[in-house]
Amino acid sequence: MISYKKSKTILKKAKIKIKEETIKSINSLNRVVSTNIYSNINYPAGNNAAFDGYAINSKDTDDLKKKFPKKFKIIGSIVAGMKPFKKKIKKFDTAEIMTGGIIPKGFDTIIPIEQIIFVPNKKYILIDQKIKKFDHVRFAGSDYRKGEVVIKKNTIVQPNHILAFKSLGIKQIKVKKKINILFFSTGNEISDKDNIPNWMVRNSNTHYIKNLNQNFLFNFKSGGILRDNHENIFKQKINKLIKSKDDIIITSGAVSAGKFDFIPDVVKKFKLSSYFKSAAIRPGKPIMFAKIKGKEKAIFGLPGNPISSAACFRFFVIPYILNALGLLEEKSIKAILKNGFDKKKNFTRFVKSQLSTTKNGKINVEILKGQESFRIKSFVKSNIWVLLPAGKSKFKKGDIVDCFFPNLSNQNLV
């Protein structure tokens, strides 16, 4: 049995290499960009109006005073989306302009519609003061300059990034390929049926991990259920993995020390460059990991208990995926513990908890009752995992602890 810290070191060193592909930017949500993405244009593309109003040449107002107002002739109207008109602009000319309308040469300033005084026939506007140059003008390239970085390499694409891609005309981007996971549940007691006798167990682990795939950057494929006598079948599955497009095999169950826990024995028959079995953690102690020697293929053996499986997927598989995709290690969310908790000193604990905030902005976390690994109710009530590290047994109210979201990566938020 190794420490959680040691297991993390092994996983980092044993990462698999993931290839790149070019995809449409509008289909890139939750993908990891593999190169810096630059703007190909200035944005805005041209000087345009920040408000509905009237465009003028500010120099025409230099000598204007309240006592001596001046009429400005309205020579046309400019609407967003239309080509700028090419009329010759004379002194004391003005043009109606809508928000986003391109400002023609000869004008350099916008007076908002709320400040406009019309001459009765509405063919002129009246200005009786000096107007500051460039008022209410959005300048070309004031948001993005051509060649400026939009998002950096190894960023997870979010909806706000896709908004920028579309606004800037970025049609395609280069991303890391999604990791392909082949998942097996194990055990004679596991069933995919809804109606089962009380000696059977519904196959929840497959569906839990399957539904994390959009948040956690992988493609999921169920391999079905391996029964207690399927040792040779599992060996065949690993042989197929080596030749397939799948990157990782994950099993749930059959990794402990029981009579039918065949997963570790089968895996050890292959040539491996990295391997560990059992970690000083709760829940999930029987966790197993292996990397096939000379191949970009990895195997995780998770415990069969649903909460142990969920915890091990979150704290072993997910960091492994993030590392393989070139992302930085997740940072924890720091929170103030609302209640005490005791654990074994040499074990790392993953604890089902509830995160909340106070009126004065403090982030608190409460460790929930029902931490036993078979209890699902506390997992349903939780919205955060608290990680309590080895080396300390007693955690008191007021301690600062590390928190990790259960259903998405902290990479997206911190």
Side-chain angles (χ1 to χ4, degrees):
M1 184 169 62
I2 63 172
S3 68
Y4 177 58
K5 185 176 180 181
K6 177 66 174 176
S7 71
K8 288 174 65 178
T9 301
I10 293 172
L11 291 175
K12 280 184 180 180
K13 291 181 178 179
K15 77 174 182 178
I16 54 177
K17 295 178 182 178
I18 303 300
K19 294 180 180 179
E20 301 173 345
E21 63 181 341
T22 299
I23 65 172
K24 291 182 179 179
S25 63
I26 57 173
N27 298 329
S28 63
L29 183 66
N30 284 332
R31 302 298 295 272
V32 178
V33 297
S34 53
T35 59
N36 287 350
I37 297 176
Y38 300 91
S39 177
N40 295 319
I41 61 169
N42 288 326
Y43 184 83
N47 294 351
N48 68 81
F51 288 94
D52 292 345
Y54 282 78
I56 63 166
N57 185 332
S58 60
K59 286 184 179 179
D60 294 346
T61 69
D62 284 350
D63 299 323
L64 299 185
K65 296 177 182 179
K66 290 279 185 184
K67 293 181 180 180
F68 303 103
K70 182 68 181 179
K71 292 192 299 183
F72 282 64
K73 184 180 179 182
I74 301 171
I75 61 170
S77 184
I78 303 165
V79 179
M82 68 174 275
K83 293 180 180 180
F85 61 72
K86 296 183 178 180
K87 293 181 180 178
K88 186 176 181 181
I89 295 168
K90 301 175 183 176
K91 193 171 184 179
F92 303 121
D93 278 350
T94 186
E96 182 185 28
I97 192 166
M98 308 305 169
T99 302
I102 297 297
I103 301 169
K105 289 182 179 179
F107 294 140
D108 60 16
T109 301
I110 307 298
I111 304 175
I113 188 67
E114 295 83 359
Q115 299 174 20
I116 295 298
I117 302 170
F118 290 99
V119 172
N121 61 15
K122 288 200 171 182
K123 293 182 179 180
Y124 296 86
I125 65 172
L126 207 60
I127 301 176
D128 61 1
Q129 61 181 314
K130 178 178 171 61
I131 305 296
K132 186 179 177 182
K133 188 177 182 179
F134 301 135
D135 265 4
H136 310 300
V137 173
R138 300 168 177 164
F139 291 100
S142 58
D143 194 9
Y144 278 104
R145 302 292 296 177
K146 184 176 181 179
E148 185 178 348
V149 174
V150 180
I151 60 172
K152 293 182 179 179
K153 176 181 178 181
N154 297 336
T155 298
I156 301 174
V157 176
Q158 298 298 301
N160 52 322
H161 299 139
I162 293 176
L163 181 150
F165 298 155
K166 193 65 179 175
S167 297
L168 299 172
I170 299 169
K171 296 179 181 180
Q172 294 186 318
I173 61 172
K174 190 174 285 188
V175 298
K176 293 288 182 69
K177 285 189 172 183
K178 278 195 172 185
I179 288 175
N180 294 313
I181 289 177
L182 178 60
F183 184 88
F184 295 94
S185 290
T186 69
N188 285 350
E189 75 279 16
I190 303 299
S191 175
D192 282 323
K193 295 180 180 179
D194 292 325
N195 298 317
I196 60 172
N198 60 8
W199 61 85
M200 301 291 286
V201 177
R202 293 183 182 87
N203 184 14
S204 59
N205 291 350
T206 296
H207 296 281
Y208 173 70
I209 293 174
K210 176 183 178 180
N211 283 284
L212 289 173
N213 67 342
Q214 286 303 312
N215 290 338
F216 281 137
L217 315 165
F218 61 86
N219 293 318
F220 178 92
K221 182 168 62 176
S222 174
I225 301 170
L226 296 170
R227 300 305 179 185
D228 291 348
N229 61 347
H230 282 181
E231 187 171 341
N232 288 332
I233 292 176
F234 182 53
K235 185 177 179 181
Q236 293 169 15
K237 297 293 184 183
I238 297 178
N239 278 318
K240 286 184 179 180
L241 168 73
I242 294 171
K243 300 174 184 178
S244 75
K245 292 183 179 180
D246 295 322
D247 303 296
I248 300 173
I249 277 183
I250 300 177
T251 61
S252 176
V255 289
S256 192
K259 182 178 180 180
F260 299 107
D261 292 338
F262 59 82
I263 298 295
D265 289 338
V266 172
V267 170
K268 285 190 290 185
K269 290 177 182 179
F270 290 84
K271 291 182 179 180
L272 307 174
S273 58
S274 297
Y275 179 84
F276 68 78
K277 168 69 174 68
S278 295
I281 60 170
R282 289 281 193 276
K285 178 184 171 184
I287 177 79
M288 184 213 74
F289 168 77
K291 183 175 184 294
I292 305 295
K293 188 174 182 179
K295 303 290 181 179
E296 302 304 320
K297 310 287 181 178
I299 303 170
F300 283 91
L302 310 183
N305 183 293
I307 303 305
S308 298
S309 184
C312 287
F313 191 87
R314 181 62 183 88
F315 290 101
F316 289 84
V317 181
I318 292 310
Y320 188 78
I321 289 173
L322 297 179
N323 187 39
L325 293 172
L327 296 166
L328 296 175
E329 186 175 356
E330 291 179 90
K331 294 180 181 179
S332 66
I333 295 170
K334 303 291 184 181
I336 303 167
L337 196 57
K338 290 178 69 175
N339 54 339
F341 189 81
D342 293 349
K343 68 172 187 64
K344 288 186 177 180
K345 185 175 181 179
N346 294 328
F347 274 69
T348 296
R349 283 295 302 262
F350 310 123
V351 188
K352 296 168 279 187
S353 306
Q354 268 192 348
L355 197 72
S356 61
T357 59
T358 65
K359 290 182 179 179
N360 59 358
K362 290 183 179 179
I363 301 176
N364 290 334
V365 66
E366 178 185 2
I367 294 176
L368 299 174
K369 293 180 179 180
Q371 289 300 322
E372 296 90 345
S373 59
F374 75 91
R375 294 189 185 275
I376 297 171
K377 186 186 293 185
S378 51
F379 190 50
V380 171
K381 290 182 177 180
S382 70
N383 61 9
I384 207 79
W385 284 107
V386 168
L387 190 155
L388 302 176
K392 182 177 177 180
S393 58
K394 292 185 180 293
F395 291 80
K396 300 177 182 179
K397 179 180 178 180
D399 284 350
I400 306 298
V401 292
D402 296 320
C403 302
F404 293 86
F405 288 109
N407 300 319
L408 72 163
S409 167
N410 285 12
Q411 283 277 357
N412 292 333
L413 300 173
V414 180

